[in-house]
Amino acid sequence: MEDIDAIAVLQDPVRRRLYEYVVAQGREVGRNEAAEAAGVARTLAAHHLDKLTGAGLLESGSRRLTGRSGPGAGRPAKVYTRARAEWSVSLPARDYLTAAELLAEAAEAAGLDAGLCAAARRRGEALRGPAAPCGGLDEAMAVLAARGYEPHLEGGEGGEGGSGAAPVVRMRNCPFHAVAERFPPLVCGMNLALLEGLLGADGPVRARMDARPGECCVVVEESKNNLD
């Protein structure tokens, strides 16, 4: 399927709501849960979820949602997660990824890590403009969401897996994923510097490295000065 055909599948508003809900969860989602979230019948949700899977936007599998096994546990249910493939459309055709990879390869070979991070930090500051550093994690999440990082709060009372641990903002998406896979130290360092400039290095929140499979390598938390 062509990229433009796959993206066109999201034109249907119900289908798009289902896709956005599944993507936002960062885990497997069953048909009943997705239907309830989108406010549609289960059969309609199943139809659209399978359309999204056929287009390559979602991946499907099956497991028992009850958490039980053995006799009486019931049949496995169909579940959905975001597909690993990337889709993009540019008219006329452009190939910015190849340019980015070539520039990253040259920067890495020349040992330009420090210069790249300095440029990234300046760009982050320019994107923030005259605004003060982010005043807290909620504000930081709004800034990150606008840049496509798909932030979610983990720990604390209101976050995922809430516990006694201090809350931290993790990000399900890395906007530089394709290049970061090939040049992780270079691009992840650039990403950290960019977010330091964007969020404000001297404010109530700070960005730091904390890589975890399937997520952005940077996390955001309250700065130590703000916790004291």
Side-chain angles (χ1 to χ4, degrees):
M1 176 177 287
E2 297 288 339
D3 286 19
I4 193 168
D5 295 325
I7 294 172
V9 171
L10 295 172
Q11 184 175 5
D12 183 279
V14 173
R15 202 171 293 159
R16 185 164 183 172
R17 288 204 306 273
L18 288 164
Y19 174 78
E20 290 174 345
Y21 178 78
V22 172
V23 166
Q25 305 317 301
R27 56 173 172 79
E28 295 176 328
V29 174
R31 287 172 168 176
N32 288 340
E33 178 186 349
E36 183 177 353
V40 298
R42 182 185 183 279
T43 52
L44 181 59
H47 167 75
H48 285 305
L49 289 166
D50 287 339
K51 283 281 189 181
L52 290 164
T53 303
L57 297 170
L58 297 180
E59 294 177 356
S60 64
S62 62
R63 67 176 177 87
R64 289 188 173 91
L65 298 178
T66 61
R68 296 179 298 169
S69 60
R75 293 187 303 171
K78 201 163 187 179
V79 292
Y80 302 84
T81 56
R82 175 167 43 194
R84 291 182 288 271
E86 294 184 14
W87 304 91
S88 63
V89 175
S90 177
L91 299 173
R94 296 289 186 263
D95 188 6
Y96 299 114
L97 176 58
T98 297
E101 289 178 338
L102 289 171
L103 289 168
E105 183 177 350
E108 188 173 74
L112 299 178
D113 304 55
L116 176 61
C117 287
R121 193 171 289 106
R122 289 194 299 270
R123 175 58 62 91
E125 292 170 351
L127 290 171
R128 177 161 53 91
C134 283
L137 294 183
D138 288 342
E139 186 178 342
M141 287 182 68
V143 171
L144 294 167
R147 304 291 308 174
Y149 283 91
E150 299 180 10
H152 63 101
L153 190 65
E154 186 174 280
E157 294 183 0
E160 296 178 10
S163 62
V168 61
V169 176
R170 293 189 176 272
M171 294 164 268
R172 293 196 173 98
N173 183 51
C174 171
F176 317 110
H177 174 72
V179 188
E181 279 199 317
R182 288 196 57 190
F183 309 95
L186 181 76
V187 178
C188 291
M190 177 200 76
N191 187 29
L192 174 62
L194 176 71
L195 292 181
E196 286 174 343
L198 183 65
L199 301 176
D202 300 323
V205 301
R206 66 163 187 159
R208 64 175 174 85
M209 288 285 194
D210 188 9
R212 192 161 76 177
E215 295 193 346
C216 178
C217 60
V218 179
V219 299
V220 177
E221 62 188 4
E222 293 184 324
S223 65
K224 291 183 178 179
N225 292 336
N226 196 44
L227 293 173
D228 293 340

